[in-house]
Amino acid sequence: MATEYARGRRQGKIAGEAGPVTLASHPDVRRMLDEAEAIAIAGRALCHVALVELELQEAPELVDFLTPVCKFACTEGGVAAANLAIQVLGGYGYLREYRVEQILRDARIAAIYEGTSGIHALTLATRLLRHNGGSAADAFARFVHSSGADFELSVWQEARGHMLAATDPAPAADAFMRLTVETAYAAIWRRLSAVADHAPAPARLRALAARQAMFGPSSLRHKAEIVSIILRMDEPSPGAAHLHEPAHMKEKEWS
């Protein structure tokens, strides 16, 4: 809907063009359309991998790991994509006749039922990283490695180590899940790029894959740093114990 609207609606000017141009001609609108389409393609592909592995029954640990990752990635991604679509349509995005506002409401509830996004993130950060010696996480690491995303895997593995070393990894659960989704998508885009010739629109798929390759590494490092910062914040510092002492104890010391 947003793509078709942006191709037909003329508004504003850009350098080198006479008269109003289509919304899709504006760089910022193209950015939003690219991002929304990339979210949809990567999410569907990741779910496809999980479903194929479920049917094959050859890598149950990978299925266990990908299940909450897929739920989180696609529900949160659906909200983000719908929000971008409303932005592309502008005020029309709020009108019922375009149905984009309905898509946003439908996507938003998906992040709540069948386990909230927070519950799935907590499952990943606690049980799946530790259960059976971390076999599910190891299966995910093999999947990423087999896709050729070794840099992304190294960043994820370092953050995984921080999560395992933390006394309580729960505060960083959401951040770690987002890092995991980014890592999974990096693997997915490498696989999609490798088979782009078989896609209905090979050039378009390659362009989106190139976009991921360009922005992905810095985004991944940023997410990994957030995990590290949250875990450091949650650790009590040597001089911070007095902050938790009752007020009357401090008054006694001062008197």
Side-chain angles (χ1 to χ4, degrees):
M1 173 62 73
T3 300
E4 291 303 316
Y5 180 85
R7 288 173 178 170
R9 170 80 172 182
R10 290 185 173 274
Q11 184 174 349
K13 299 180 179 180
I14 59 176
E17 296 289 340
V21 297
T22 62
L23 289 179
S25 300
H26 294 282
D28 192 55
V29 174
R30 290 201 304 271
R31 172 191 63 81
M32 290 187 285
L33 293 174
D34 287 349
E35 186 174 341
E37 187 174 2
I39 289 171
I41 291 175
R44 290 169 183 167
L46 186 62
C47 288
H48 177 76
V49 169
L51 287 170
V52 169
E53 293 297 346
L54 178 64
E55 290 297 318
L56 293 175
Q57 298 184 4
E58 295 176 354
E61 297 90 353
L62 179 59
V63 174
D64 287 344
F65 193 92
L66 288 181
T67 297
V69 175
C70 286
K71 172 60 166 62
F72 185 101
C74 292
T75 54
E76 295 292 323
V79 173
N83 190 53
L84 287 167
I86 287 179
Q87 189 70 22
V88 171
L89 269 70
Y92 287 119
Y94 286 88
L95 300 182
R96 290 184 177 179
E97 63 183 286
Y98 288 93
R99 300 191 61 80
V100 181
E101 46 81 31
Q102 179 67 55
I103 293 173
L104 179 59
R105 289 202 301 273
D106 291 344
R108 187 63 186 85
I109 191 62
I112 298 174
Y113 62 50
E114 297 300 330
T116 65
S117 294
I119 292 298
H120 286 290
L122 189 63
T123 297
L124 174 68
T126 55
R127 181 176 67 83
L128 288 174
L129 285 186
R130 291 170 168 78
H131 180 66
N132 195 24
S135 60
D138 289 340
F140 176 71
R142 290 192 296 271
F143 162 71
V144 176
H145 173 69
S146 68
S147 306
D150 289 333
F151 166 76
E152 291 83 357
L153 177 59
S154 67
V155 174
W156 183 82
Q157 288 282 41
E158 183 178 356
R160 174 190 178 186
H162 294 326
M163 294 291 285
L164 290 172
T167 303
D168 180 16
D174 179 82
F176 184 73
M177 173 61 92
R178 294 181 188 279
L179 172 65
T180 302
V181 170
E182 187 95 14
T183 304
Y185 278 179
I188 287 296
W189 279 111
R190 277 173 170 75
R191 294 184 174 217
L192 289 173
S193 181
V195 297
D197 288 341
H198 303 286
R204 178 60 175 161
L205 191 60
R206 288 196 192 93
L208 291 174
R211 180 181 184 277
Q212 166 63 29
M214 183 180 300
F215 293 108
S218 59
S219 177
L220 193 82
R221 286 192 294 265
H222 174 68
K223 287 180 172 62
E225 183 62 22
I226 291 176
V227 172
S228 180
I229 290 172
I230 293 174
L231 291 176
R232 289 200 302 269
M233 287 176 58
D234 196 54
E235 294 176 357
S237 59
H242 70 280
L243 298 176
H244 304 285
E245 295 176 356
H248 71 273
M249 291 291 293
K250 295 179 182 179
E251 293 173 356
K252 184 177 181 181
E253 291 177 0
W254 295 339
S255 61

